[in-house]
């Protein structure tokens, strides 16, 4: 069976490098929505999709969309996708690996003259990271028909609105709606992506099947006490905002560690004012990022963490404000798709590990029009959003083999 | 008895305001070493000291030194002092209250034609805060003969060396040694200063006698873990530098609160990198400021806190560095002087409260050539180094009455 499938890994790695060369700055990989690098990358993808025997177009938001017809023209499609924008100073695998592996799989079918009982489409999403306009999932939201027009007034760091940037790119901001697809056009949405975490590496597995894309809640917490001289205010008379915040940080960790059900909580930003070594901090702000495998689980955790922070603030006589700054619902992967991915992983000789995705992905938008699924590929040290992001060629190959097997054996939902 | 002493408070408050008008910026009080404001303030002080019947000179470091002879010319002196430089955006009481109250007391003696069996000198120190060159106690160190010439190469934020600034001011940096006084010229060094803390206010007392100027140790702590994605790294696989630092901050507070013997510990600065809401911090640095009534007590506390931070870092697999960035030994106030101050406080009708000074003062330098003592005056809410610093006129008057009584009844050490 494997003899029929020539190794796809080398070609994928070469294309990853070719795409990574298209960057705003030569020393750091940065490729953002509606930039000239977006244009250049799109043209490269168009060419690769055409070589793979696909009919290709760029849609109204700048996504590159390729279609590989099935045995019957016009049939509903299995949609494969990922994104080709990056964060600033990015790694080269996050997004492109899913797009390029999908193209390689279709190219393999095309070279072998294989048509399946369903169409296959690939969508390379133009914006998932939200690097330029601070709104994420712009490409997949357009395809899902959930693009919010208010995003068009968002500005980049140079003050350019998304609307103006679209016009400059040659797109019509009033026609974004035409990028939307109907649910009956899709059999499923399937994405291969690097894990961006350390679990597969720890389990010594090249691939894993995703159970759910965890929702996320972000809180902004401010504690206000009284600043004072580090030498003159006795411990018992202090209202130190930083010791209060530190107790909160430890509590977030303790509550999440004690959960055991996949809950994670992170304080990533902390600022203490006035910020002098000999002054008791009077004002401290920090963020809390909370994710869990289900919305109910996450909401219960947010309530528990909020209550604990309130208790700490009250006990210390600190004034507290907690603002909800960000919330994404959980996107579960369809069980019938998970089973097909698990079968393919097994057939390739790997133990099946099912794991949640703590990071957000385009599936969070696509779930509005299709059942979704994800295949994770191991990355080194769990590092992502960083130039040190790395995937071993053997794991690229393993991911491609599993994805191709999923495609070839795909059975639409009964 | 009180009828003999006209109220000094009004004159002191007027002069505090006059001196506060000499500032680098009109809206915020800032008066730093070797500036034109230093010059203008020195000239004002010279005039006030002369009106008080003193012989006045500006010494080799820019201190204003006045001498009020005793019954026998050339006798050793009781030295009164404080500083007339400020931090940036300062209050107007920190330093000047001690200088101006001392001048008012001598002026009172002079008006009444009183000479004592010993001389009285006032030194208004030109630099205590170290605002300009980041070296503190420059004025009192010069008088104590412990000025370190290396300080002359220090630069201000405009790149000007202390040596060049001295020359521009009209002082000879090679003659700083001539400011030094011999121990046999001094009977004692006595300073009145605002408390800069909340203890007198909490005790409802206008004045208190200081037991000791607490030594201070400053540590710079760095914890290095592994940065990671807030969504993708399970709690059990994290090496979060910030949760480790938070545990350290809580531990510093717990160890100091549990001490009960005057130990205070403060984390005033904390920085977490990379500093994004969805990234686990991989690198955190923070300061620890530790002060206690005795050197042995402080050193034991530093050892205990260091051991606890080491334990936390080890348990969490974090790389740790701890640097000692600053250390001042404890300067105890002489018991024989504390007793004379306590007697004066009692005689003025106040309960005697003895308290340590957690803040540093010129006595830390002067202790090398004389026994030292301090009289604290209550300030509002314990606030200092802040424009909101405030002393009630009645407390200014109380401080002046006690200081005058100490001077009039002063008995040199047997």
């Amino acid at each position: 069976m494997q003899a029929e499938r020539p190794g796809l890994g080398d070609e994928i790695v070469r294309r990853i490098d070719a795409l990574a060369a298209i960057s705003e700055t030569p020393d750091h990989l940065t490729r953002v929505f509606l930039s000239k690098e977006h244009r250049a990358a799109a043209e490269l993808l168009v060419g690769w999709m055409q070589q793979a025997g696909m009919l290709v177009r760029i849609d109204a938001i700048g996504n590159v969309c390729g279609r590989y017809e099935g045995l019957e023209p016009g049939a509903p499609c299995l949609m494969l996708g990922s994104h080709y924008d990056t964060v600033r100073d990015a790694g080269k695998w996050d997004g492109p690996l899913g797009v390029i592996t999908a193209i390689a799989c279709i190219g393999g079918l095309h070279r072998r003259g294989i048509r399946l009982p369903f169409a296959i489409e690939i969508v390379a999403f133009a914006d998932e990271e939200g690097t330029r306009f601070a709104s994420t999932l712009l490409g997949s939201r357009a395809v899902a028909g959930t693009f919010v027009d208010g995003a068009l007034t968002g500005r980049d760091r140079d003050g350019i609105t998304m609307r103006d940037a679209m016009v400059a790119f040659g797109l019509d901001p009033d026609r974004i709606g035409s990028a939307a697809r109907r649910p009956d056009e899709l059999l499923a949405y399937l994405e291969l992506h690097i894990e961006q975490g350390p679990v597969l590496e720890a389990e010594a597995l090249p691939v894993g099947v995703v159970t759910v894309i965890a929702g996320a809640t972000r809180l902004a917490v401010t504690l206000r006490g009284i600043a004072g001289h580090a030498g003159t205010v006795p411990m018992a008379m202090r209202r130190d905002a930083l010791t209060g915040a530190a107790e909160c940080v430890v509590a977030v960790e303790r509550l999440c560690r004690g959960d055991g059900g996949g809950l994670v909580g992170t304080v990533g930003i902390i600022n203490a004012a006035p910020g002098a070594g000999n002054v008791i901090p009077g004002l401290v702000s920090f963020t809390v990022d909370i994710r869990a495998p289900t919305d109910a689980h996450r909401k219960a955790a947010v309530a528990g963490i909020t209550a604990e922070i309130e208790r700490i603030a009250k006990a210390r006589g600190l004034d507290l404000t907690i603002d909800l700054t960000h919330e994404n619902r959980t996107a579960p992967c369809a069980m019938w798709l998970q089973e097909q991915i698990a079968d393919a992983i097994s057939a390739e000789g790997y133990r099946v590990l099912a794991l949640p995705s703590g990071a957000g992905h385009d599936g969070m938008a696509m779930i509005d029009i299709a059942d979704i699924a994800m295949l994770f590929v191991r990355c080194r040290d769990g590092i992502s959003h960083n130039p040190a992001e790395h995937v071993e060629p053997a794991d690229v190959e393993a991911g491609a083999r599993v994805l191709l097997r999923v495609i070839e054996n795909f059975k639409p939902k009964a």
Side-chain angles (χ1 to χ4, degrees), chain A:
Chain A
M1 191 70 179
Q2 296 210 350
E4 289 177 34
R5 296 192 185 83
L8 301 170
D10 290 350
E11 178 189 276
I12 294 168
V13 172
R14 275 199 310 277
R15 288 182 168 181
I16 288 283
D17 288 333
L19 197 61
I22 302 172
S23 171
E24 197 172 287
T25 51
D27 296 333
H28 303 285
L29 174 54
T30 302
R31 193 169 56 242
V32 305
F33 186 42
L34 303 175
S35 62
K36 67 179 201 295
E37 295 77 29
H38 173 180
R39 165 75 62 200
E43 285 169 5
L44 203 53
L45 292 171
V46 167
W48 291 338
M49 288 189 195
Q50 287 173 336
Q51 287 173 39
M54 309 185 88
L55 261 171
V56 190
R57 65 190 173 91
I58 293 182
D59 74 6
I61 194 84
N63 299 324
V64 181
C65 308
R67 181 172 170 96
Y68 186 76
E69 283 293 354
L71 295 171
E72 301 285 331
C77 72
L78 168 63
M79 185 176 280
L80 311 174
S82 196
H83 61 96
Y84 65 105
D85 67 317
T86 73
V87 295
R88 296 192 185 281
D89 200 15
K92 62 190 176 186
W93 306 91
D94 170 8
L97 182 63
V99 174
I100 291 170
T101 301
I103 295 171
C105 290
I106 307 309
L109 295 178
H110 177 60
R111 279 194 298 273
R112 289 179 285 144
I114 298 176
R115 295 277 164 185
L116 297 169
F118 48 89
I120 304 170
E121 295 196 18
I122 301 176
V123 183
F125 295 111
D127 176 278
E128 186 256 15
E129 302 285 4
T131 307
R132 183 166 179 185
F133 293 106
S135 297
T136 60
L137 304 175
L138 295 172
S140 46
R141 283 184 178 150
V143 171
T146 56
F147 183 89
V148 178
D149 281 345
L152 290 168
T153 60
R155 291 177 188 274
D156 69 10
R157 57 189 191 180
D158 296 322
I160 299 167
T161 64
M162 191 188 307
R163 173 177 290 278
D164 289 344
M166 286 191 72
V167 172
F169 192 86
L171 295 170
D172 181 351
D174 296 324
R175 291 197 66 256
I176 292 174
S178 70
R181 302 297 293 270
R182 293 193 317 275
D184 63 9
E185 297 178 297
L186 278 73
L187 298 169
Y189 172 79
L190 173 59
E191 178 166 353
L192 176 148
H193 202 283
I194 61 168
E195 180 199 344
Q196 302 181 278
V199 175
L200 290 173
E201 188 173 67
E203 297 276 346
L205 289 170
V207 292
V209 56
V210 175
T211 54
V212 63
I213 305 172
T217 297
R218 190 88 54 82
L219 307 176
V221 182
T222 301
L223 290 169
R224 191 179 294 270
I226 296 178
H229 192 297
T232 64
V233 187
M235 297 307 290
M237 298 180 73
R238 296 184 175 204
R239 284 172 57 195
D240 184 332
L242 181 56
T243 55
E247 194 179 343
C248 294
V249 172
V250 171
V252 168
E253 182 186 52
R254 184 184 66 244
L255 291 170
C256 293
R257 276 187 179 171
D259 172 81
L263 177 68
V264 289
T266 306
V267 177
I269 299 174
I270 187 166
N271 289 304
N278 62 350
V279 180
I280 301 160
L283 181 66
V284 175
S285 57
F286 61 93
T287 57
V288 187
D289 180 301
I290 302 156
R291 310 190 193 206
T294 70
D295 288 333
H297 189 169
R298 188 184 76 256
K299 284 177 181 174
V302 169
I305 286 170
T306 299
E308 181 65 3
I309 291 173
E310 286 169 348
R311 189 195 63 74
I312 290 166
K314 187 172 178 193
R316 290 172 170 271
L318 301 172
D319 293 334
L320 168 70
T321 59
I322 303 183
D323 293 319
L324 177 72
T325 55
H326 173 90
E327 185 143 51
N328 269 338
R329 70 200 158 147
T330 293
C333 294
M335 195 52 70
W336 66 276
L337 291 165
Q338 288 187 55
E339 285 165 2
Q340 295 191 26
I341 293 171
D343 289 346
I345 291 172
S346 278
E348 289 292 335
Y350 305 115
R351 175 166 62 87
V352 175
L353 181 78
L355 73 171
S357 171
H361 296 288
D362 287 301
M364 299 172 87
M366 296 304 294
I367 199 167
D368 282 330
I369 56 167
D371 281 352
I372 66 164
M374 292 193 74
L375 172 64
F376 267 176
V377 177
R378 171 168 56 188
C379 61
R380 188 174 61 196
D381 298 336
I383 291 169
S384 183
H385 285 196
N386 187 303
E389 189 180 275
H390 179 70
V391 181
E392 285 297 319
D395 293 353
V396 172
E397 177 72 26
R401 285 184 178 278
V402 172
L403 182 64
L404 180 56
R405 193 178 282 273
V406 173
I407 295 166
E408 288 184 341
N409 297 326
F410 179 70
K411 300 279 181 300
K413 190 178 184 185

